Amino acid sequence: MEKKHIFIQTFGCQMNVHDSEKIMTLMERSGYESCDDMRKADLIIINTCSIREKAAQKVYSQLGRLKELKREKPGLILGVGGCLAQQWGSKFIERIPFLDLVFGTHNIHMLPELVTRIEKTKAPVVQIEFQESVKSLNIPALSSNGKISAYITIMQGCNNFCSYCVVPYLRGREESRSFREIADEVKSLAHRGVKEITLLGQNVNSYGASNSNGHDFADLLREIDKIGGIERIRFTTSHPKDLSDKLIHCFSETDKLCEHIHLPVQAGSNRILKMMNRCYTIKDYLEKVDKLRAVCPEISITSDIIVGFPGETDRDFQATIDMMKKIRFDGIFSFNYSEREGTDAAKLGDTVSIFVKRERLRLVQSLQEEHTIEKHRAHVGNIVEILVEGMSKNSREDMTGRTRTNKIVNFRGNHELIGKAVHVKITDAYLHSLRGELTEEEVTKC
Ligand code: SF4
């Protein structure tokens, strides 16, 4: 029988990227084959994100562009999944009448059945009910075959209700996967040649807390550290309030845990942090950073910052700048506050003008550029270990990989190095990457 083709486009975070890999696994089992050209596809899935207004607008623009394709190929099934689908449900079909399928964040495992139903009935389907447990948590991402790095979801959902965030409403309450299943999946990935794994969750630090399985996140890291074949362990993302001393000590007591943590701070003012319902003060955050640096002096720390939260004054904003100067992050993702319907913060109104937000964002980003380049320059002359991921985007003669501290390094090399850990001497530093040359010398920095 001729295979049908599926094309998936993903918007948003790594969780969504990984969910798309799971969708691919499920549909491959149902006889579909992945394709890179949406014009050849029999099934197109748009995996959506609604964390910021901009991400949602991109999804609507893309769906608008697909109208013509759907007219040319009436048999094409067009579906949307992810947070925006969960949020909008059947309203999505009212807004985009040529859509065939809307499925929510707890319904991924039902996808083959939903697609078959549409093939038979030709009628649109909306499936967004939360389930008692998220069945897709245990679906492995087979598309990791041949990859050096792979993601593993260890938990989904969130209980924190930060006042600006839609995730708890769209992904449901926290649910952790079983300790054994995760360890088995890591072993199977190692068997297929994966060297680096990234453990994913909305707040991995609270792994095991909601449906206790007798193990916390630090226990999980220690277990994975013992698995042969895996060389590097990373995780994202972490809520500062749940970063325990036990977890901090994993950075010095486990060999494979990479020296990098993404620890979203969001703002430097205690008044704003309280309004955001973040449950920590800047003093608490700074103490955690100090402990991390005491345990692991080379650790790279990245963060998220929101500017223009409702009611943010010049003084509050200055506290963010002061905090950045004190901590000197290795990198940040920074955003203008974007009001999300249904959240507590939306009740406060979007009170900071777009002009003020833009100027604050510009100031935050230019300060961070100074810090990033300063950190990168400090690497020049060091010998670092790179896990080679592939060819550089900019030159066919260059290979690319990352340091354990998650910095991109490009260097002259060949394809045979892909998947290997090599030593590179850093020769140049730029804002987004480092440049180096292969060496036999021993590593001096991670
Ligand atoms: S911790 Fe806060 S920001 Fe992160 S997903 Fe949960 S509610 Fe959203």
Side-chain angles (χ1 to χ4, degrees), residues 208-267:
S210 44
N211 43 333
S212 173
N213 56 24
H215 299 283
D216 62 17
F217 186 50
D219 297 333
L220 185 65
L221 289 173
R222 286 172 202 274
E223 182 70 13
I224 296 173
D225 193 51
K226 294 185 226 149
I227 297 176
I230 296 298
E231 293 176 15
R232 292 180 170 194
I233 307 168
R234 300 185 186 277
F235 61 82
T236 193
T237 189
S238 269
H239 196 304
K241 78 175 166 51
D242 298 314
L243 180 67
S244 66
D245 287 355
K246 184 176 169 190
L247 179 51
I248 289 173
H249 279 94
C250 287
F251 283 101
S252 63
E253 292 165 6
T254 58
D255 293 332
K256 297 172 185 173
L257 181 60
C258 287
E259 292 79 1
H260 168 230
I261 186 166
H262 186 71
L263 196 61
V265 62
Q266 307 299 8

Short mmCIF file of all heavy atoms in Angstrom, two decimals, residues 208-267:
data_model
loop_
_atom_site.label_atom_id
_atom_site.label_comp_id
_atom_site.label_asym_id
_atom_site.label_seq_id
_atom_site.Cartn_x
_atom_site.Cartn_y
_atom_site.Cartn_z
N GLY A 208 8.31 14.41 40.48
CA GLY A 208 7.99 13.45 41.56
C GLY A 208 7.17 14.03 42.69
O GLY A 208 6.65 13.28 43.52
N ALA A 209 7.01 15.36 42.74
CA ALA A 209 6.34 15.97 43.90
C ALA A 209 4.83 15.73 43.88
O ALA A 209 4.24 15.43 44.93
CB ALA A 209 6.62 17.47 43.94
N SER A 210 4.18 15.85 42.73
CA SER A 210 2.72 15.80 42.71
C SER A 210 2.19 14.37 42.79
O SER A 210 1.30 14.07 43.55
CB SER A 210 2.18 16.50 41.48
OG SER A 210 2.92 16.14 40.36
N ASN A 211 2.76 13.46 41.96
CA ASN A 211 2.35 12.06 42.12
C ASN A 211 3.60 11.30 42.55
O ASN A 211 4.31 10.73 41.74
CB ASN A 211 1.73 11.48 40.84
CG ASN A 211 2.49 11.87 39.60
OD1 ASN A 211 3.14 12.89 39.55
ND2 ASN A 211 2.43 11.04 38.58
N SER A 212 3.85 11.36 43.84
CA SER A 212 5.11 10.87 44.39
C SER A 212 5.40 9.43 43.98
O SER A 212 4.57 8.55 44.11
CB SER A 212 5.07 10.98 45.91
OG SER A 212 6.23 10.36 46.42
N ASN A 213 6.60 9.23 43.43
CA ASN A 213 7.00 7.86 43.09
C ASN A 213 8.25 7.48 43.91
O ASN A 213 8.98 6.58 43.55
CB ASN A 213 7.25 7.73 41.58
CG ASN A 213 8.28 8.72 41.07
OD1 ASN A 213 9.11 9.19 41.84
ND2 ASN A 213 8.24 9.04 39.80
N GLY A 214 8.46 8.25 44.99
CA GLY A 214 9.57 7.93 45.89
C GLY A 214 10.90 8.49 45.44
O GLY A 214 11.92 8.27 46.08
N HIS A 215 10.90 9.20 44.31
CA HIS A 215 12.16 9.75 43.79
C HIS A 215 11.95 11.21 43.42
O HIS A 215 10.93 11.56 42.83
CB HIS A 215 12.59 9.00 42.53
CG HIS A 215 12.84 7.55 42.76
ND1 HIS A 215 13.99 7.08 43.36
CD2 HIS A 215 12.09 6.46 42.48
CE1 HIS A 215 13.93 5.77 43.43
NE2 HIS A 215 12.79 5.36 42.90
N ASP A 216 12.95 12.03 43.70
CA ASP A 216 12.87 13.42 43.25
C ASP A 216 13.79 13.61 42.04
O ASP A 216 14.40 12.65 41.54
CB ASP A 216 13.18 14.39 44.40
CG ASP A 216 14.59 14.22 44.95
OD1 ASP A 216 15.42 13.60 44.26
OD2 ASP A 216 14.86 14.71 46.06
N PHE A 217 13.91 14.86 41.59
CA PHE A 217 14.66 15.10 40.36
C PHE A 217 16.15 14.79 40.52
O PHE A 217 16.79 14.25 39.61
CB PHE A 217 14.44 16.56 39.91
CG PHE A 217 15.05 16.86 38.58
CD1 PHE A 217 14.82 16.04 37.49
CD2 PHE A 217 15.89 17.95 38.41
CE1 PHE A 217 15.40 16.29 36.24
CE2 PHE A 217 16.48 18.22 37.18
CZ PHE A 217 16.23 17.39 36.10
N ALA A 218 16.68 15.10 41.70
CA ALA A 218 18.11 14.80 41.94
C ALA A 218 18.35 13.30 41.85
O ALA A 218 19.35 12.84 41.27
CB ALA A 218 18.53 15.35 43.30
N ASP A 219 17.41 12.50 42.39
CA ASP A 219 17.55 11.03 42.30
C ASP A 219 17.56 10.59 40.84
O ASP A 219 18.33 9.71 40.45
CB ASP A 219 16.37 10.31 42.99
CG ASP A 219 16.28 10.60 44.47
OD1 ASP A 219 17.33 10.89 45.07
OD2 ASP A 219 15.17 10.53 45.03
N LEU A 220 16.70 11.22 40.06
CA LEU A 220 16.61 10.85 38.63
C LEU A 220 17.93 11.17 37.91
O LEU A 220 18.44 10.36 37.13
CB LEU A 220 15.44 11.60 37.98
CG LEU A 220 15.14 11.26 36.53
CD1 LEU A 220 14.67 9.82 36.37
CD2 LEU A 220 14.07 12.20 35.96
N LEU A 221 18.49 12.34 38.21
CA LEU A 221 19.77 12.71 37.58
C LEU A 221 20.86 11.70 37.94
O LEU A 221 21.65 11.28 37.08
CB LEU A 221 20.20 14.12 38.01
CG LEU A 221 19.37 15.27 37.44
CD1 LEU A 221 19.80 16.59 38.09
CD2 LEU A 221 19.52 15.37 35.93
N ARG A 222 20.89 11.31 39.21
CA ARG A 222 21.92 10.37 39.66
C ARG A 222 21.74 9.01 38.98
O ARG A 222 22.72 8.34 38.64
CB ARG A 222 21.88 10.21 41.19
CG ARG A 222 22.46 11.42 41.90
CD ARG A 222 22.24 11.33 43.40
NE ARG A 222 22.30 12.64 44.01
CZ ARG A 222 23.42 13.23 44.41
NH1 ARG A 222 24.56 12.63 44.29
NH2 ARG A 222 23.38 14.44 44.96
N GLU A 223 20.50 8.60 38.77
CA GLU A 223 20.23 7.32 38.11
C GLU A 223 20.70 7.37 36.65
O GLU A 223 21.35 6.45 36.16
CB GLU A 223 18.71 7.04 38.19
CG GLU A 223 18.27 5.73 37.59
CD GLU A 223 18.72 4.52 38.42
OE1 GLU A 223 19.16 4.70 39.57
OE2 GLU A 223 18.64 3.40 37.88
N ILE A 224 20.37 8.46 35.96
CA ILE A 224 20.73 8.57 34.55
C ILE A 224 22.24 8.69 34.39
O ILE A 224 22.82 8.20 33.42
CB ILE A 224 19.98 9.76 33.89
CG1 ILE A 224 18.47 9.49 33.93
CG2 ILE A 224 20.43 9.97 32.45
CD1 ILE A 224 17.61 10.63 33.46
N ASP A 225 22.87 9.30 35.38
CA ASP A 225 24.33 9.45 35.36
C ASP A 225 25.03 8.09 35.25
O ASP A 225 26.15 7.99 34.75
CB ASP A 225 24.76 10.18 36.65
CG ASP A 225 26.19 10.68 36.59
OD1 ASP A 225 26.53 11.35 35.60
OD2 ASP A 225 26.96 10.39 37.52
N LYS A 226 24.34 7.02 35.73
CA LYS A 226 24.98 5.69 35.74
C LYS A 226 24.83 4.97 34.41
O LYS A 226 25.39 3.90 34.22
CB LYS A 226 24.32 4.82 36.83
CG LYS A 226 24.55 5.29 38.24
CD LYS A 226 23.96 4.25 39.19
CE LYS A 226 23.15 4.88 40.30
NZ LYS A 226 22.05 4.10 40.79
N ILE A 227 24.01 5.52 33.50
CA ILE A 227 23.69 4.77 32.27
C ILE A 227 24.81 4.89 31.24
O ILE A 227 25.17 6.00 30.82
CB ILE A 227 22.32 5.23 31.70
CG1 ILE A 227 21.22 4.90 32.73
CG2 ILE A 227 22.04 4.56 30.34
CD1 ILE A 227 19.84 5.38 32.36
N GLY A 228 25.35 3.74 30.84
CA GLY A 228 26.47 3.73 29.90
C GLY A 228 26.06 4.26 28.53
O GLY A 228 24.93 4.07 28.09
N GLY A 229 27.00 4.93 27.85
CA GLY A 229 26.72 5.44 26.50
C GLY A 229 26.30 6.89 26.51
O GLY A 229 26.61 7.66 25.60
N ILE A 230 25.56 7.30 27.55
CA ILE A 230 25.17 8.71 27.67
C ILE A 230 26.38 9.48 28.21
O ILE A 230 26.99 9.09 29.21
CB ILE A 230 23.95 8.87 28.61
CG1 ILE A 230 22.72 8.17 28.04
CG2 ILE A 230 23.66 10.35 28.91
CD1 ILE A 230 22.22 8.69 26.70
N GLU A 231 26.72 10.58 27.52
CA GLU A 231 27.89 11.36 27.95
C GLU A 231 27.50 12.68 28.61
O GLU A 231 28.26 13.26 29.37
CB GLU A 231 28.80 11.65 26.74
CG GLU A 231 29.43 10.37 26.20
CD GLU A 231 30.24 10.59 24.95
OE1 GLU A 231 30.57 11.75 24.62
OE2 GLU A 231 30.53 9.59 24.29
N ARG A 232 26.34 13.19 28.21
CA ARG A 232 25.94 14.50 28.75
C ARG A 232 24.46 14.49 29.11
O ARG A 232 23.64 13.95 28.37
CB ARG A 232 26.16 15.61 27.70
CG ARG A 232 27.62 15.86 27.39
CD ARG A 232 27.74 16.96 26.37
NE ARG A 232 29.12 17.40 26.22
CZ ARG A 232 29.49 18.50 25.59
NH1 ARG A 232 28.57 19.29 25.05
NH2 ARG A 232 30.75 18.82 25.50
N ILE A 233 24.15 15.14 30.24
CA ILE A 233 22.74 15.29 30.66
C ILE A 233 22.47 16.79 30.82
O ILE A 233 23.26 17.51 31.44
CB ILE A 233 22.48 14.61 32.02
CG1 ILE A 233 22.93 13.14 32.00
CG2 ILE A 233 21.01 14.71 32.40
CD1 ILE A 233 22.96 12.49 33.38
N ARG A 234 21.37 17.23 30.23
CA ARG A 234 20.91 18.61 30.41
C ARG A 234 19.46 18.58 30.86
O ARG A 234 18.79 17.54 30.70
CB ARG A 234 21.00 19.40 29.09
CG ARG A 234 22.40 19.47 28.52
CD ARG A 234 22.42 20.37 27.27
NE ARG A 234 23.71 20.34 26.63
CZ ARG A 234 24.75 21.08 27.00
NH1 ARG A 234 24.64 21.91 28.03
NH2 ARG A 234 25.89 21.00 26.36
N PHE A 235 18.95 19.71 31.35
CA PHE A 235 17.52 19.77 31.68
C PHE A 235 16.99 21.17 31.51
O PHE A 235 17.74 22.15 31.57
CB PHE A 235 17.25 19.26 33.11
CG PHE A 235 17.92 20.02 34.21
CD1 PHE A 235 17.38 21.21 34.71
CD2 PHE A 235 19.09 19.55 34.78
CE1 PHE A 235 17.99 21.91 35.74
CE2 PHE A 235 19.72 20.24 35.82
CZ PHE A 235 19.17 21.41 36.30
N THR A 236 15.71 21.26 31.28
CA THR A 236 15.03 22.56 31.21
C THR A 236 13.53 22.32 31.37
O THR A 236 13.03 21.30 30.90
CB THR A 236 15.36 23.27 29.89
OG1 THR A 236 14.95 24.61 29.95
CG2 THR A 236 14.71 22.61 28.68
N THR A 237 12.81 23.18 32.08
CA THR A 237 13.24 24.39 32.71
C THR A 237 13.01 24.30 34.21
O THR A 237 12.31 23.41 34.67
CB THR A 237 12.52 25.60 32.09
OG1 THR A 237 13.09 26.80 32.56
CG2 THR A 237 11.05 25.58 32.30
N SER A 238 13.57 25.21 34.94
CA SER A 238 13.67 25.11 36.40
C SER A 238 13.00 26.28 37.09
O SER A 238 13.32 27.43 36.77
CB SER A 238 15.14 25.27 36.76
OG SER A 238 15.81 24.08 36.82
N HIS A 239 12.13 26.01 38.05
CA HIS A 239 11.59 27.12 38.85
C HIS A 239 12.55 27.37 40.03
O HIS A 239 12.84 26.43 40.78
CB HIS A 239 10.20 26.77 39.36
CG HIS A 239 9.45 27.98 39.85
ND1 HIS A 239 9.95 28.81 40.82
CD2 HIS A 239 8.26 28.51 39.48
CE1 HIS A 239 9.09 29.80 41.05
NE2 HIS A 239 8.05 29.64 40.23
N PRO A 240 13.02 28.61 40.22
CA PRO A 240 13.99 28.87 41.30
C PRO A 240 13.51 28.41 42.68
O PRO A 240 14.31 27.93 43.48
CB PRO A 240 14.17 30.39 41.26
CG PRO A 240 13.81 30.76 39.85
CD PRO A 240 12.74 29.80 39.42
N LYS A 241 12.21 28.53 42.97
CA LYS A 241 11.75 28.18 44.32
C LYS A 241 11.95 26.69 44.60
O LYS A 241 12.04 26.28 45.74
CB LYS A 241 10.29 28.59 44.53
CG LYS A 241 9.27 27.67 43.92
CD LYS A 241 7.86 28.09 44.29
CE LYS A 241 6.81 27.42 43.43
NZ LYS A 241 6.86 25.98 43.29
N ASP A 242 11.98 25.86 43.56
CA ASP A 242 12.10 24.40 43.75
C ASP A 242 13.52 23.89 43.53
O ASP A 242 13.72 22.68 43.44
CB ASP A 242 11.14 23.68 42.80
CG ASP A 242 9.70 24.02 43.08
OD1 ASP A 242 9.32 24.01 44.26
OD2 ASP A 242 8.94 24.32 42.14
N LEU A 243 14.48 24.79 43.41
CA LEU A 243 15.87 24.36 43.20
C LEU A 243 16.47 24.02 44.57
O LEU A 243 16.87 24.91 45.33
CB LEU A 243 16.66 25.49 42.52
CG LEU A 243 18.12 25.18 42.23
CD1 LEU A 243 18.28 24.09 41.19
CD2 LEU A 243 18.84 26.45 41.73
N SER A 244 16.49 22.73 44.89
CA SER A 244 16.93 22.30 46.24
C SER A 244 18.45 22.23 46.34
O SER A 244 19.15 22.14 45.32
CB SER A 244 16.35 20.91 46.53
OG SER A 244 16.94 19.98 45.63
N ASP A 245 18.96 22.22 47.57
CA ASP A 245 20.41 22.03 47.78
C ASP A 245 20.85 20.69 47.22
O ASP A 245 21.93 20.57 46.65
CB ASP A 245 20.75 22.10 49.28
CG ASP A 245 20.65 23.54 49.80
OD1 ASP A 245 20.42 24.45 48.97
OD2 ASP A 245 20.79 23.73 51.02
N LYS A 246 19.99 19.67 47.38
CA LYS A 246 20.32 18.32 46.88
C LYS A 246 20.55 18.37 45.37
O LYS A 246 21.47 17.76 44.85
CB LYS A 246 19.15 17.39 47.24
CG LYS A 246 19.38 15.94 46.88
CD LYS A 246 18.19 15.10 47.36
CE LYS A 246 18.23 13.69 46.81
NZ LYS A 246 17.00 12.95 47.07
N LEU A 247 19.70 19.12 44.70
CA LEU A 247 19.82 19.24 43.24
C LEU A 247 21.07 20.05 42.87
O LEU A 247 21.83 19.67 41.98
CB LEU A 247 18.54 19.89 42.68
CG LEU A 247 18.47 20.13 41.18
CD1 LEU A 247 18.81 18.88 40.40
CD2 LEU A 247 17.07 20.60 40.80
N ILE A 248 21.30 21.14 43.61
CA ILE A 248 22.49 21.97 43.34
C ILE A 248 23.76 21.10 43.45
O ILE A 248 24.66 21.19 42.62
CB ILE A 248 22.54 23.18 44.30
CG1 ILE A 248 21.44 24.18 43.93
CG2 ILE A 248 23.92 23.86 44.28
CD1 ILE A 248 21.26 25.34 44.89
N HIS A 249 23.80 20.22 44.43
CA HIS A 249 25.00 19.39 44.62
C HIS A 249 25.21 18.38 43.49
O HIS A 249 26.33 17.89 43.31
CB HIS A 249 24.99 18.72 46.00
CG HIS A 249 25.46 19.68 47.05
ND1 HIS A 249 24.61 20.45 47.78
CD2 HIS A 249 26.72 20.06 47.40
CE1 HIS A 249 25.31 21.24 48.58
NE2 HIS A 249 26.59 21.03 48.36
N CYS A 250 24.16 18.09 42.73
CA CYS A 250 24.34 17.19 41.57
C CYS A 250 25.35 17.77 40.59
O CYS A 250 26.00 17.03 39.85
CB CYS A 250 23.01 16.97 40.84
SG CYS A 250 21.89 15.92 41.75
N PHE A 251 25.49 19.11 40.56
CA PHE A 251 26.43 19.71 39.61
C PHE A 251 27.88 19.36 39.93
O PHE A 251 28.74 19.42 39.08
CB PHE A 251 26.25 21.24 39.54
CG PHE A 251 25.04 21.62 38.73
CD1 PHE A 251 23.86 21.99 39.34
CD2 PHE A 251 25.07 21.59 37.33
CE1 PHE A 251 22.74 22.33 38.60
CE2 PHE A 251 23.96 21.94 36.58
CZ PHE A 251 22.79 22.31 37.21
N SER A 252 28.15 19.01 41.19
CA SER A 252 29.53 18.59 41.50
C SER A 252 29.63 17.09 41.71
O SER A 252 30.72 16.53 41.62
CB SER A 252 30.05 19.34 42.74
OG SER A 252 29.26 18.98 43.85
N GLU A 253 28.49 16.45 41.97
CA GLU A 253 28.57 15.02 42.36
C GLU A 253 28.21 14.05 41.24
O GLU A 253 28.27 12.85 41.43
CB GLU A 253 27.68 14.79 43.58
CG GLU A 253 28.24 15.48 44.82
CD GLU A 253 27.23 15.59 45.95
OE1 GLU A 253 26.13 15.02 45.84
OE2 GLU A 253 27.56 16.25 46.95
N THR A 254 27.75 14.55 40.10
CA THR A 254 27.49 13.65 38.97
C THR A 254 28.43 14.05 37.83
O THR A 254 28.73 15.23 37.65
CB THR A 254 26.02 13.76 38.47
OG1 THR A 254 25.79 15.10 38.11
CG2 THR A 254 25.01 13.34 39.50
N ASP A 255 28.90 13.06 37.08
CA ASP A 255 29.89 13.34 36.04
C ASP A 255 29.26 13.91 34.78
O ASP A 255 29.86 14.73 34.08
CB ASP A 255 30.61 12.03 35.63
CG ASP A 255 31.46 11.52 36.76
OD1 ASP A 255 31.91 12.37 37.56
OD2 ASP A 255 31.66 10.30 36.85
N LYS A 256 28.06 13.43 34.46
CA LYS A 256 27.52 13.73 33.12
C LYS A 256 26.63 14.97 33.08
O LYS A 256 26.32 15.45 32.00
CB LYS A 256 26.74 12.51 32.62
CG LYS A 256 27.64 11.30 32.44
CD LYS A 256 26.87 10.05 32.12
CE LYS A 256 27.82 8.86 32.08
NZ LYS A 256 27.09 7.59 31.95
N LEU A 257 26.19 15.43 34.24
CA LEU A 257 25.34 16.62 34.26
C LEU A 257 26.17 17.82 33.79
O LEU A 257 27.20 18.15 34.39
CB LEU A 257 24.79 16.87 35.67
CG LEU A 257 23.87 18.08 35.80
CD1 LEU A 257 22.64 17.96 34.89
CD2 LEU A 257 23.43 18.28 37.24
N CYS A 258 25.72 18.46 32.72
CA CYS A 258 26.48 19.58 32.14
C CYS A 258 26.40 20.82 33.04
O CYS A 258 25.40 21.02 33.73
CB CYS A 258 25.93 19.91 30.76
SG CYS A 258 26.39 18.67 29.57
N GLU A 259 27.43 21.63 32.94
CA GLU A 259 27.56 22.79 33.83
C GLU A 259 26.78 23.98 33.26
O GLU A 259 27.34 24.99 32.85
CB GLU A 259 29.04 23.15 34.00
CG GLU A 259 29.85 22.13 34.76
CD GLU A 259 30.28 20.92 33.94
OE1 GLU A 259 29.95 20.88 32.73
OE2 GLU A 259 30.91 20.02 34.49
N HIS A 260 25.47 23.80 33.19
CA HIS A 260 24.61 24.87 32.69
C HIS A 260 23.22 24.72 33.33
O HIS A 260 22.71 23.61 33.44
CB HIS A 260 24.45 24.76 31.16
CG HIS A 260 23.36 25.66 30.63
ND1 HIS A 260 22.36 25.22 29.80
CD2 HIS A 260 23.09 26.97 30.85
CE1 HIS A 260 21.54 26.21 29.51
NE2 HIS A 260 21.95 27.28 30.14
N ILE A 261 22.67 25.86 33.76
CA ILE A 261 21.29 25.83 34.24
C ILE A 261 20.53 27.02 33.67
O ILE A 261 21.05 28.14 33.64
CB ILE A 261 21.22 25.80 35.79
CG1 ILE A 261 19.76 25.60 36.23
CG2 ILE A 261 21.82 27.05 36.43
CD1 ILE A 261 19.61 25.21 37.70
N HIS A 262 19.30 26.75 33.20
CA HIS A 262 18.42 27.83 32.79
C HIS A 262 17.47 28.06 33.97
O HIS A 262 16.68 27.18 34.32
CB HIS A 262 17.66 27.46 31.52
CG HIS A 262 16.86 28.60 30.99
ND1 HIS A 262 17.46 29.70 30.41
CD2 HIS A 262 15.54 28.86 31.01
CE1 HIS A 262 16.52 30.58 30.07
NE2 HIS A 262 15.35 30.09 30.43
N LEU A 263 17.59 29.22 34.60
CA LEU A 263 16.86 29.50 35.84
C LEU A 263 16.11 30.83 35.68
O LEU A 263 16.64 31.90 36.00
CB LEU A 263 17.89 29.59 36.98
CG LEU A 263 17.38 29.49 38.40
CD1 LEU A 263 16.69 28.16 38.67
CD2 LEU A 263 18.53 29.68 39.39
N PRO A 264 14.86 30.76 35.17
CA PRO A 264 14.13 32.00 34.87
C PRO A 264 13.89 32.87 36.11
O PRO A 264 13.32 32.40 37.08
CB PRO A 264 12.81 31.50 34.28
CG PRO A 264 13.10 30.12 33.81
CD PRO A 264 14.10 29.57 34.79
N VAL A 265 14.35 34.12 36.04
CA VAL A 265 14.18 35.04 37.18
C VAL A 265 12.97 35.95 36.95
O VAL A 265 12.28 36.33 37.87
CB VAL A 265 15.47 35.85 37.43
CG1 VAL A 265 15.84 36.72 36.25
CG2 VAL A 265 15.35 36.71 38.67
N GLN A 266 12.75 36.34 35.72
CA GLN A 266 11.61 37.14 35.23
C GLN A 266 11.68 38.63 35.57
O GLN A 266 11.35 39.44 34.74
CB GLN A 266 10.24 36.57 35.69
CG GLN A 266 10.01 35.09 35.39
CD GLN A 266 10.05 34.72 33.93
OE1 GLN A 266 10.39 35.53 33.09
NE2 GLN A 266 9.73 33.48 33.60
N ALA A 267 12.08 39.00 36.80
CA ALA A 267 12.13 40.44 37.14
C ALA A 267 13.06 40.63 38.33
O ALA A 267 13.35 39.67 39.06
CB ALA A 267 10.73 40.95 37.49
#
